[in-house]
Amino acid sequence: MTTSEVILQARNLVKEFVLRDQGGLFGHKRILRAVDDVDLTLYAGETLALVGESGSGKSTTARLIARLLDVTSGSVQFQGEEVTGLSRAELYRFRSNVQVVFQDPYSSLNPRHTVERIVTAPLVYQGRTVPGGARTFTRSLMERVGLNPDHSARFPSQFSGGQAQRIGIARALAVGPKVVVCDEAVSALDVSVQAQVINLLRKLQQEEGLTYLFIAHDLAVVRQIAHRVAVMNQGRVVETGERDAVFREPADEYTRTLLAAVPRIRPEWQAARRARAHDRRGG
């Protein structure tokens, strides 16, 4: 359940990258502003979906908020504390509260490590004790995300894409975060598997009171999970609002264009599908 408590806030967020044309150090230099004066607010227990086309700046924004990238300018605050200038030790504490689930589970999981080592790694890196021992802790987390705990000694390549993504979710949960950034976390999965992972994320949110920043380009997926939606275009947030309000009456032309591209089931197709189902049941 969402509350009015602000858990994470970005203000005037800017990220610039220096690009050089051919010529190495002496080539022509230009500045790419990937994120341009972005404001975002996350409330405790909600899912805020950050949507836009590829290259819109949404994933860069997510990495700035998770402190995987340094900001060029602007502010990121977690529970009222500025986090853009944290020391290494302070970053460890911050990342206990803000974790990331990445798009490609296979590239984000070390192929040479077992599930047990992958899941407990965040605790080890932070110098924290693994509650109950590594094996027991891992088995418990695997059960929570819908995996067979007897497979804790297996490697990522021995799991399907959906199962591997569940390992990534278990790893994120290991440190007990309050915010999880899902960076295109279901976009690489088949549609049926997407639905299973989304249901898992919603279940975990209800059980743990998690807050999600959900990065996506697929508005059909966003509609299933988001409470609010922020739309990005060319590095800027062009619209923010409650999910149903944005889908029903988008205020920005770019949002209307995105929504127009979402496939819709035509009424005659729905009627035909219901008729076929009726026939299969024998009238």
Side-chain angles (χ1 to χ4, degrees):
M1 178 179 293
T2 60
T3 71
S4 58
E5 176 195 351
V6 175
I7 192 166
L8 196 148
Q9 195 167 44
R11 286 288 175 264
N12 309 119
L13 207 57
V14 172
K15 180 60 179 178
E16 296 179 340
F17 295 98
V18 178
L19 304 179
R20 293 186 182 275
D21 296 334
Q22 292 183 350
L25 293 175
F26 303 102
H28 178 68
K29 182 175 70 173
R30 57 193 177 91
I31 302 297
L32 171 66
R33 180 166 285 202
V35 176
D36 188 5
D37 199 29
V38 163
D39 291 349
L40 285 176
T41 299
L42 266 73
Y43 297 100
E46 78 162 345
T47 298
L48 172 65
L50 186 58
V51 305
E53 295 173 296
S54 178
S56 62
K58 58 189 186 297
S59 287
T60 302
T61 300
R63 283 166 166 77
L64 293 172
I65 287 173
R67 292 293 285 109
L68 299 179
L69 286 175
D70 291 329
V71 306
T72 300
S73 64
S75 168
V76 178
Q77 292 188 348
F78 175 75
Q79 293 186 318
E81 178 187 355
E82 183 63 39
V83 299
T84 55
L86 296 182
S87 66
R88 182 183 294 270
E90 290 168 335
L91 267 179
Y92 281 140
R93 289 196 295 271
F94 170 71
R95 287 180 179 144
S96 292
N97 289 305
V98 179
Q99 281 284 301
V100 182
V101 177
F102 297 95
Q103 176 177 359
D104 184 349
Y106 293 114
S107 65
S108 63
L109 303 176
N110 192 321
R112 298 179 181 178
H113 290 176
T114 64
V115 175
E116 181 178 311
R117 187 170 177 184
I118 288 169
V119 168
T120 57
L123 289 167
V124 174
Y125 291 152
Q126 295 179 16
R128 294 166 57 182
T129 302
V130 179
R135 179 63 52 85
T136 300
F137 181 74
T138 301
R139 288 175 63 89
S140 175
L141 270 176
M142 290 182 74
E143 285 186 318
R144 283 169 60 192
V145 300
L147 291 172
N148 187 338
D150 293 334
H151 297 166
S152 63
R154 293 188 178 185
F155 296 89
S157 61
Q158 296 175 277
F159 295 88
S160 69
Q163 290 171 331
Q165 193 60 291
R166 289 171 188 260
I167 297 170
I169 294 170
R171 178 179 61 183
L173 294 178
V175 292
K178 295 180 179 179
V179 176
V180 177
V181 178
C182 300
D183 188 6
E184 297 277 10
V186 301
S187 64
L189 306 177
D190 293 338
V191 173
S192 61
V193 180
Q194 282 185 355
Q196 294 170 13
V197 173
I198 288 170
N199 286 337
L200 171 64
L201 290 171
R202 289 194 298 208
K203 174 176 174 286
L204 292 169
Q205 185 174 54
Q206 292 171 356
E207 293 175 350
E208 310 290 337
L210 295 170
T211 302
Y212 293 136
L213 176 60
F214 192 85
I215 313 302
H217 64 274
D218 188 338
L219 292 179
V221 169
V222 166
R223 192 160 203 166
Q224 296 178 55
I225 195 169
H227 298 104
R228 291 189 303 125
V229 177
V231 182
M232 284 196 76
N233 182 28
Q234 297 182 345
R236 300 182 70 91
V237 173
V238 297
E239 180 169 358
T240 303
E242 297 294 325
R243 176 199 60 197
D244 292 342
V246 170
F247 275 79
R248 186 174 56 250
E249 295 183 12
D252 189 85
E253 180 61 33
Y254 177 72
T255 309
R256 290 193 286 271
T257 301
L258 287 180
L259 287 169
V262 177
R264 288 176 170 79
I265 299 177
R266 294 167 58 182
E268 57 267 31
W269 294 351
Q270 291 178 316
R273 185 171 61 183
R274 285 195 295 268
R276 287 195 298 271
H278 180 76
D279 291 341
R280 283 197 298 271
R281 291 195 298 269

